[in-house]
Amino acid sequence: MGFDRIALYFHNLYYGIGNLKAEKSPDAIQLGVLGAASFSPGGLSDAARTHSDVVITAIGARVLEKAQAQAKEYGIPRAHGSYQEVIELDDVDAACIPLPIAYHAEWAIKAARAGKHVLVEKPICSIAVSASGRMFSNYPLGLDATNTKYQVAELKPNNTETPYPDAEINTPPGGPIDYSTYPASSKGDPDHFVAVQSVVVDAADRLWVLDTGRVSLENDTLLTSQYGGPKLVGISLSNNTVFKTILFPPNVAYGDSYPNDVRFDLRPSVSGSGQGIAYITDSSSEGRNGIIVVDLGSGESWRQLENIPQVRPEAGFFAQVWGEPVYMNDGIRPITPLAFGADGITLSNDGETLYFSVVSGRYLFSVPTARLRDRGPSSALFAAGSVMNLGQKGVSDGLESDSNGIVYAGSVETNSINIFSPENGTISTYLRNPKIDWTDTFSVAGDYIYFTENQLWRKPSSQGGVDRRVKPYALYRVPLLNNATKISLL
């Protein structure tokens, strides 16, 4: 069943477009439910009964008797004693995952790999997957003050997750906030995770943890960082130990910086140390924007494209999703335009070009990576002068690219995923569907590109303090173009 029909069915299902006692269509979407404990007549079951295009065809639980009881009560044809059995069913088109939050990432990925579309009941966390299939997630304390259990976790095959690489590094002594400063600030702790924004597995199958060093309070105030907090931490997956901690000095990660996303080029030729380079966007909505460049061997870091117009929010920027305006509006402070700078980042398939974009803008930009690595006296001038405007790709968050050089970007105002082709310089629509609104994170695995729809624009910080997000949150996958795969720069 095609992505467009899947998405339209669930759009209608959750927004109440249907008949109370609908006759089922012969080609209705076949839904498999993972988990019986959270399944209720007030939720998905009653909703599905009212729609001709949805049939709940199977339910799975860790205890078969629980699945059988729910199947009997709600008229579900099949019950299974495991989640895996459900996602392996050939006639199941999509998987709904009303499991505890800790299990969302693991089973969303497994279901997607099994060729199923996925719906989950909470926003999907950032995910990194190793070559052997190990899965890692992070819970940014800079985005949600309740993310205090741990910042990085490994998702285990037995439906559990554990702090990674251990509980100690995830637990700053006395907590992550420094109350000795006025006003309070985030701790500058070089030995512990403070507020992790991103986890990425590089081409050498090592896990890198990007720590912003900035903690959010319950009222959404984002505390400034101190030296020792903003850092890039490398972890060996062979022995689960930290092999490298790179601290960003205060002239690289300012107190109000927000290191957001990272890409790696491990070719020996690109750095003096021979150990590769990391490129990081600073998306701060309060301070200066730019690209942070890191020599992974020496640990040196520096900024490029500092506050040039192309990394800054566009003046007078205005966006709308489904015809509704999007502002920074938490119901407490004055309403202001959405003002996030350089955020999306990805590398060309040969590593010679860095693509980037701002959230508060519509253009895709590129710059030669050699210009970013240059540290000569005129390097800032040459780097800024080398930035190329590649055209309007729409308002988007994350970026991704594939082995054929195609760049993928969301377009929140047109419910699309657009692509840029470096061969002919054109931007075109790859996928358009009513279920696409705020495409946040992209990830490439095998010959598929995965993307999340997390309704970020409906968060309280943009809706006058009211949470207007509507379940489900979704993870989709579609084939990469022309048999492409993931980029590997070694």
Side-chain angles (χ1 to χ4, degrees), residues 222-233:
L222 191 58
L223 302 181
T224 56
S225 67
Q226 298 185 67
Y227 179 67
K231 53 188 172 288
L232 187 62
V233 180

Side-chain angles (χ1 to χ4, degrees), residues 65-129:
E65 290 75 16
K66 289 185 178 180
Q68 290 173 331
Q70 296 283 19
K72 181 178 179 180
E73 183 172 357
Y74 300 122
I76 301 171
R78 286 172 289 176
H80 297 269
S82 74
Y83 310 140
Q84 189 68 34
E85 290 178 30
V86 175
I87 64 176
E88 289 178 352
L89 293 172
D90 291 337
D91 59 346
V92 167
D93 302 308
C96 182
I97 307 178
L99 296 170
I101 298 173
Y103 307 148
H104 284 179
E106 176 186 0
W107 285 102
I109 290 174
K110 286 183 177 180
R113 285 176 174 169
K116 313 303 181 187
H117 295 285
V118 179
L119 295 100
V120 293
E121 296 296 300
K122 296 287 183 182
I124 299 171
C125 301
S126 299
I127 295 296
V129 183

Side-chain angles (χ1 to χ4, degrees), residues 281-352:
T281 48
D282 183 347
S283 65
S284 176
S285 61
E286 309 147 284
R288 289 164 281 186
N289 303 118
I291 304 294
I292 297 172
V293 187
V294 186
D295 184 320
L296 298 175
S298 69
E300 293 181 283
S301 59
W302 58 96
R303 294 179 71 96
Q304 289 282 20
L305 309 186
E306 179 78 343
N307 246 20
I308 67 172
Q310 294 94 327
V311 301
R312 296 286 297 162
E314 292 180 9
F317 174 78
F318 170 76
Q320 54 186 337
V321 182
W322 289 106
E324 298 182 16
V326 183
Y327 289 98
M328 299 182 79
N329 173 20
D330 60 8
I332 301 173
R333 289 163 280 222
I335 299 173
T336 59
L338 199 66
F340 294 104
D343 186 313
I345 185 172
T346 194
L347 287 163
S348 61
N349 55 354
D350 61 2
E352 297 304 310

Side-chain angles (χ1 to χ4, degrees), residues 216-386:
S216 178
L217 300 179
E218 291 184 2
N219 65 359
D220 284 337
T221 298
L222 191 58
L223 302 181
T224 56
S225 67
Q226 298 185 67
Y227 179 67
K231 53 188 172 288
L232 187 62
V233 180
I235 303 173
S236 169
L237 297 183
S238 61
N239 58 21
N240 303 313
T241 59
V242 173
F243 69 86
K244 174 78 73 172
T245 297
I246 299 174
L247 304 182
F248 304 137
N251 64 340
V252 171
Y254 310 124
D256 56 6
S257 286
Y258 198 87
N260 190 298
D261 205 355
V262 58
R263 293 293 183 271
F264 296 93
D265 184 348
L266 303 185
R267 294 176 297 163
S269 61
V270 299
S271 67
S273 68
Q275 297 184 39
I277 291 285
Y279 304 94
I280 301 168
T281 48
D282 183 347
S283 65
S284 176
S285 61
E286 309 147 284
R288 289 164 281 186
N289 303 118
I291 304 294
I292 297 172
V293 187
V294 186
D295 184 320
L296 298 175
S298 69
E300 293 181 283
S301 59
W302 58 96
R303 294 179 71 96
Q304 289 282 20
L305 309 186
E306 179 78 343
N307 246 20
I308 67 172
Q310 294 94 327
V311 301
R312 296 286 297 162
E314 292 180 9
F317 174 78
F318 170 76
Q320 54 186 337
V321 182
W322 289 106
E324 298 182 16
V326 183
Y327 289 98
M328 299 182 79
N329 173 20
D330 60 8
I332 301 173
R333 289 163 280 222
I335 299 173
T336 59
L338 199 66
F340 294 104
D343 186 313
I345 185 172
T346 194
L347 287 163
S348 61
N349 55 354
D350 61 2
E352 297 304 310
T353 302
L354 183 81
Y355 299 99
F356 66 92
S357 63
V358 303
V359 172
S360 300
R362 294 176 173 83
Y363 290 92
L364 177 67
F365 299 99
S366 70
V367 62
T369 52
R371 289 300 185 191
L372 300 178
R373 299 191 300 268
D374 182 14
R375 302 187 68 184
S378 298
S379 60
L381 295 175
F382 285 127
S386 301

Side-chain angles (χ1 to χ4, degrees), residues 58-69:
I59 183 169
R62 288 179 292 176
V63 178
L64 177 59
E65 290 75 16
K66 289 185 178 180
Q68 290 173 331

